[in-house]
Amino acid sequence: MKLLIVSDSHGLQDELIVIKERHADVDKMIHCGDSELLQNSKEMANFLSVRGNCDYDASYVNDRVEKVGEATCLVTHGHLYNVKMSMMNLHYKAREVGANVACFGHSHVAGAEVMDGVLFINPGSTLLPRMRKERTYAILEVEDNEATVQFYDISGEHIPSMQLTCTLA
């Protein structure tokens, strides 16, 4: 199973469509919030999306739980869990809902790490990255409990140094 993960696109439209077309082979697409677009817009079509602190379309939900193969993914923006300060609240929420993967944004800092059996993925921002120059998004592939997270810049260039492979709990 393959999952496209995007966050913090802050009004980008054409770029979201290009990313979706480039990765048309994914099984699911997730937007972790702050799209600043209406949920029923053509750019957000087919995204399983959540509401960020800059989203004003009330039809977005704050959190969602999605099955992706062997993974159970908690999807949220992160602002409600104070992710800029600590991952602890998000970790507790992931455990509460039985998720072994937590996808989030808000900080605009791309990265993936495993903490206490939960894989945390922040795809970064496709508009305003922090801590690196690339405007990024991520692809999660899960096969037989093995997860691989790969990061790409907005032009589709793979960033091998950011790749993470782990076994899901």
Side-chain angles (χ1 to χ4, degrees):
M1 292 287 278
K2 273 177 123 173
L3 176 66
L4 169 68
I5 310 165
V6 177
S7 189
D8 296 285
S9 52
H10 291 283
L12 291 181
Q13 297 173 341
D14 296 340
E15 293 87 344
L16 281 180
I17 291 172
V18 168
I19 290 169
K20 290 193 305 183
E21 290 171 352
R22 181 183 299 138
H23 298 285
D25 64 329
V26 299
D27 298 294
K28 292 187 180 185
M29 295 183 286
I30 287 179
H31 197 297
C32 296
D34 277 2
S35 69
E36 297 187 41
L37 301 171
L38 295 175
Q39 187 169 17
N40 65 358
S41 68
K42 69 179 180 182
E43 296 84 7
M44 294 302 290
N46 300 320
F47 273 111
L48 302 168
S49 51
V50 294
R51 185 177 188 173
N53 57 299
C54 294
D55 290 317
Y56 299 102
D57 181 343
S59 65
Y60 286 112
V61 296
N62 288 325
D63 301 322
R64 63 187 321 139
V65 177
E66 297 291 334
K67 283 294 284 178
V68 181
E70 302 297 319
T72 301
C73 301
L74 167 63
V75 181
T76 191
H77 183 57
H79 64 298
L80 299 175
Y81 300 97
N82 205 19
V83 297
K84 288 183 181 178
M85 297 299 290
S86 168
M87 298 305 293
M88 193 57 64
N89 292 331
L90 185 57
H91 181 264
Y92 288 148
K93 181 64 176 182
R95 288 293 188 195
E96 177 184 312
V97 300
N100 53 3
V101 177
C103 301
F104 67 101
H106 189 53
S107 69
H108 297 213
V109 178
E113 65 179 303
V114 178
M115 290 186 290
D116 192 27
V118 177
L119 171 59
F120 291 87
I121 304 169
N122 185 330
S125 173
T126 53
L127 181 65
L128 301 164
R130 294 188 183 126
M131 304 295 286
R132 58 184 316 119
K133 66 181 188 317
E134 300 95 347
R135 298 160 54 188
T136 57
Y137 61 94
I139 301 279
L140 169 63
E141 286 190 68
V142 179
E143 188 172 323
D144 298 327
N145 275 356
E146 183 165 292
T148 301
V149 183
Q150 298 182 64
F151 289 84
Y152 297 84
D153 72 18
I154 195 144
S155 69
E157 187 79 24
H158 180 238
I159 307 170
S161 63
M162 295 185 71
Q163 182 170 314
L164 173 72
T165 299
C166 65
T167 301
L168 294 176

